Amino acid sequence: METLAAIAGRRSIRRYQERPVPEAMVEALLAAAMQAPSAGNAQPWHFVVITDRTLLGQVRQINPYAAMAGHAPLAILVCAELACERFPGNWVLDCAAAVENLLLAAQDLGLGAVWTGIYPERARMDGFRLLFGLPEGVLPHTLVPVGFPDQALPAEQRFRPERVHRDRW
């Protein structure tokens, strides 16, 4: 798939088939995420690959907007290790870039995925840290449920020329 086609066709998929995602695809998603740019090339990210049905089912208690995780064959928890940062505070941007790469890779592989936010909601961050045993100094950023889509959403054209300004506002 061409990059622009992946970008244009990517949608937030919240319903998944029951079949597991092959390990080679999971590795491809993680490799794509780790190709993201990061401030000072610090690459502060860590990824928790979650396939445990019980854990995935408990996610909705922490983040009701991530309830679909309980029906996904896997989810990837994107985190940052603060000690790896070269420019403090940029971990949020670094992880966001990794998440977008992961979402585009999922689209390219024929998988469905959805970005569910954790940061900056303190209660969500604390809940995910506790549920997944994150060590001190590691902060959760995003949970991305992933699977083979069980829904087809048409591509949306989101270009808005009125939001483009040239040289000055």
Side-chain angles (χ1 to χ4, degrees):
M1 178 177 290
E2 294 295 322
T3 304
L4 293 177
I7 292 169
R10 193 214 60 80
R11 297 297 307 276
S12 294
I13 301 299
R14 294 175 174 85
R15 290 197 319 245
Y16 312 96
Q17 298 173 24
E18 297 215 9
R19 67 180 167 142
V21 176
E23 187 58 33
M25 287 184 157
V26 175
E27 190 170 312
L29 295 174
L30 296 169
M34 292 183 206
Q35 284 297 124
S38 62
N41 198 28
Q43 305 172 29
W45 42 66
H46 285 262
F47 304 88
V48 180
V49 178
I50 308 153
T51 56
D52 182 289
R53 307 297 319 150
T54 302
L55 288 172
L56 289 170
Q58 292 174 15
V59 163
R60 73 175 9 178
Q61 297 166 359
I62 302 168
N63 181 357
Y65 302 106
M68 78 292 293
H71 304 288
L74 74 97
I76 298 173
L77 180 61
V78 181
C79 305
E81 182 178 359
L82 297 183
C84 293
E85 279 193 300
R86 291 188 57 205
F87 300 101
N90 280 280
W91 71 271
V92 177
L93 304 172
D94 299 343
C95 285
V99 171
E100 184 64 12
N101 276 14
L102 193 158
L103 293 171
L104 292 174
Q107 175 71 15
D108 185 60
L109 292 169
L111 296 169
V114 59
W115 181 319
T116 65
I118 298 171
Y119 178 84
E121 301 293 329
R122 181 55 57 189
R124 288 183 197 169
M125 293 174 71
D126 291 344
F128 277 90
R129 286 189 74 228
L130 182 63
L131 182 60
F132 295 103
L134 303 183
E136 193 66 35
V138 174
L139 300 178
H141 180 272
T142 301
L143 181 75
V144 182
V146 179
F148 289 95
D150 196 24
Q151 66 182 128
L153 298 175
E156 286 185 5
Q157 191 286 105
R158 296 181 180 174
F159 180 71
R160 303 287 183 260
E162 68 273 11
R163 300 282 178 101
V164 178
H165 310 279
R166 299 203 183 257
D167 295 324
R168 298 180 67 101
W169 189 271

